[in-house]
């Protein structure tokens, strides 16, 4: 098993601010929130690249994204915008993971 980081939205919610504050930031400071999530996504991609290299050389059976988030919590639009892309990127990084 290999573990990655939480998705950017989940990192912000769990490690940086509360869900309520994050929701307020999304309304009050959307440009800043976009900048922060872009940077967290860049870091996530670096981690996914390391996972890809590991999958190329080791018999990794699954990869863990330690999120615990559902669309009803943040709304479907935010889920699709902030979480779903991460979930879709990882399988492309490691197609051999079952």
């Amino acid at each position: 098993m290999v573990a990655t980081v939480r998705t950017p939205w989940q990192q912000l919610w769990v490690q940086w601010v509360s869900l309520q504050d994050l929701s307020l930031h999304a309304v009050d400071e959307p440009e800043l929130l976009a900048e922060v999530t872009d940077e967290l996504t860049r870091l996530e991609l670096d981690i996914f690249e390391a996972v890809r290299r590991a999958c190329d050389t080791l018999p990794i059976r699954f990869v863990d994204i330690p999120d615990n988030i559902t669309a009803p919590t943040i709304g479907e639009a935010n889920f699709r915008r902030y979480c779903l892309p991460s979930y879709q990127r990882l399988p492309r990084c490691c197609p051999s993971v079952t």
Side-chain angles (χ1 to χ4, degrees):
M1 178 184 87
V2 173
T4 67
V5 294
R6 291 178 170 106
T7 59
W9 188 267
Q10 185 82 12
Q11 287 182 54
L12 289 171
W13 169 10
V14 173
Q15 296 166 236
W16 293 40
V17 299
S18 67
L19 181 58
Q20 180 179 352
D21 287 344
L22 182 55
S23 299
L24 293 171
H25 295 325
V27 172
D28 296 338
E29 297 288 342
E31 296 85 14
L32 180 59
L33 184 60
E35 183 180 336
V36 171
T37 56
D38 287 349
E39 182 61 20
L40 289 172
T41 297
R42 187 192 64 74
L43 295 169
E44 177 187 64
L45 292 174
D46 289 346
I47 292 167
F48 282 5
E49 175 57 22
V51 169
R52 186 200 58 76
R53 287 193 311 269
C55 289
D56 287 347
T57 59
L58 300 169
I60 295 172
R61 299 213 35 200
F62 64 94
V63 177
D64 177 45
I65 299 176
D67 273 11
N68 184 17
I69 193 168
T70 60
T73 305
I74 64 171
E76 183 178 348
N78 284 329
F79 182 82
R80 288 183 181 281
R81 179 176 180 187
Y82 294 111
C83 300
L84 192 57
S86 294
Y87 301 147
Q88 292 172 328
R89 273 190 290 271
L90 188 57
R92 291 193 299 265
C93 290
C94 295
S96 63
V97 174
T98 57

